[in-house]
Amino acid sequence: MGSDLFQPRNCLRVQRRVALLVVALVVAVALATGGAAQSGAGLPAGGFDQLDVAPDDVVIEVAVRPDGDAVWETQYRVRLAGDDEKQAFAELREDVESDPSAYSERFGGRMRMTAATAENATGREMNVTNVTVAAERRELPQSYGVLTYRFEWEGFAAVEDGRIRVGDAVDALFLDESSSLIVTWPEEYQLGDASPWPTETRENAVVWRGPVDFTEGQPRVAIEPASGAAGPLVLVAVG
């Protein structure tokens, strides 16, 4: 990956431009994940198209709760190959930490629009709350700049007879070759079925690694109470 993404520090205008481009990517992906229920959109590079670069990895992790709500965490990872990129990301990180609401409010507004589209498609009441943003360097083991958005999506999954059904809110999602989707669930549940079959299955998660072109009716994950889960406690009087 080239160094066009982050430019050397020469003026505040350049740093602001980098920050806005990162936000543009996040917004584009947010619209793709939620708006896919109607349009079959994918994970475009957003504002980075202008520079002919893209993040090295996009990881979307959805932690589903028993009531159908979900905690979303989306990470945008860019390799910091040289000193210029490292310095530019440090400036971006400082900007995010000094004014996180400038990032989270815009992203949250876009995601609420996305949830509204999914609400109309599914007939389930939805809302997006508790949007946060963070920028940090990580060694994976190579050095990466990671921009992470986290939020709660109320009503994301359908719940019926104790089973959790995931996927109708992001129908026909497209994952490109740099993107992954991870769906996790509480330990007292187990995987019932998934369509298409995931790239990887874990004890409490399934993973799809792109490229994956989900068709209408995909992705879908059915989660059910584990067979060994304890049932309701019954007290029997002995007299």
Side-chain angles (χ1 to χ4, degrees):
M1 182 173 183
S3 60
D4 293 348
L5 177 57
F6 295 121
Q7 301 295 332
R9 183 173 186 175
N10 51 18
C11 67
L12 181 60
R13 179 176 57 83
V14 172
Q15 184 268 328
R16 292 288 183 182
R17 183 186 180 199
V18 170
L20 290 173
L21 286 171
V22 172
V23 172
L25 166 69
V26 173
V27 169
V29 174
L31 289 173
T33 55
Q38 296 297 321
S39 64
L43 293 169
F48 288 125
D49 285 341
Q50 300 175 10
L51 301 181
D52 194 30
V53 293
D56 294 278
D57 298 290
V58 179
V59 179
I60 305 169
E61 182 168 349
V62 183
V64 182
R65 296 171 174 168
D67 60 1
D69 294 351
V71 176
W72 276 59
E73 183 175 288
T74 306
Q75 298 181 8
Y76 306 90
R77 303 172 178 175
V78 179
R79 185 181 177 189
L80 305 180
D83 292 340
D84 291 341
E85 291 92 338
K86 292 175 183 177
Q87 178 61 37
F89 186 79
E91 295 172 23
L92 171 59
R93 179 178 180 177
E94 181 180 353
D95 195 44
V96 170
E97 291 177 348
S98 65
D99 190 12
S101 62
Y103 294 80
S104 61
E105 288 178 5
R106 180 177 179 182
F107 180 81
R110 293 291 187 177
M111 285 308 306
R112 290 183 185 96
M113 292 173 58
T114 294
T117 299
E119 180 178 275
N120 291 335
T122 64
R124 227 170 27 255
E125 186 175 349
M126 299 182 181
N127 192 22
V128 169
T129 62
N130 300 326
V131 183
T132 62
V133 60
E136 60 182 334
R137 274 188 60 176
R138 295 184 187 177
E139 306 303 320
L140 299 172
Q142 296 170 321
S143 182
Y144 280 80
V146 183
L147 185 68
T148 302
Y149 282 85
R150 195 172 187 270
F151 62 93
E152 297 181 27
W153 186 329
E154 298 174 2
F156 172 73
V159 180
E160 183 178 359
D161 297 329
R163 291 170 61 89
I164 308 170
R165 300 185 181 275
V166 179
D168 59 354
V170 289
D171 199 61
L173 174 68
F174 172 73
L175 301 176
D176 67 19
E177 64 277 0
S178 65
S179 304
S180 299
L181 172 65
I182 305 172
V183 177
T184 71
W185 53 84
E187 62 181 10
E188 63 268 25
Y189 286 80
Q190 64 186 9
L191 176 64
D193 194 14
S195 177
W197 195 250
T199 308
E200 178 186 351
T201 59
R202 303 173 183 172
E203 185 174 358
N204 293 102
V206 291
V207 183
W208 285 279
R209 295 189 180 90
V212 180
D213 191 359
F214 296 108
T215 61
E216 185 177 353
Q218 297 177 346
R220 292 294 188 273
V221 184
I223 306 164
E224 57 191 26
S227 57
L233 179 64
V234 179
L235 299 179
V236 180
V238 178

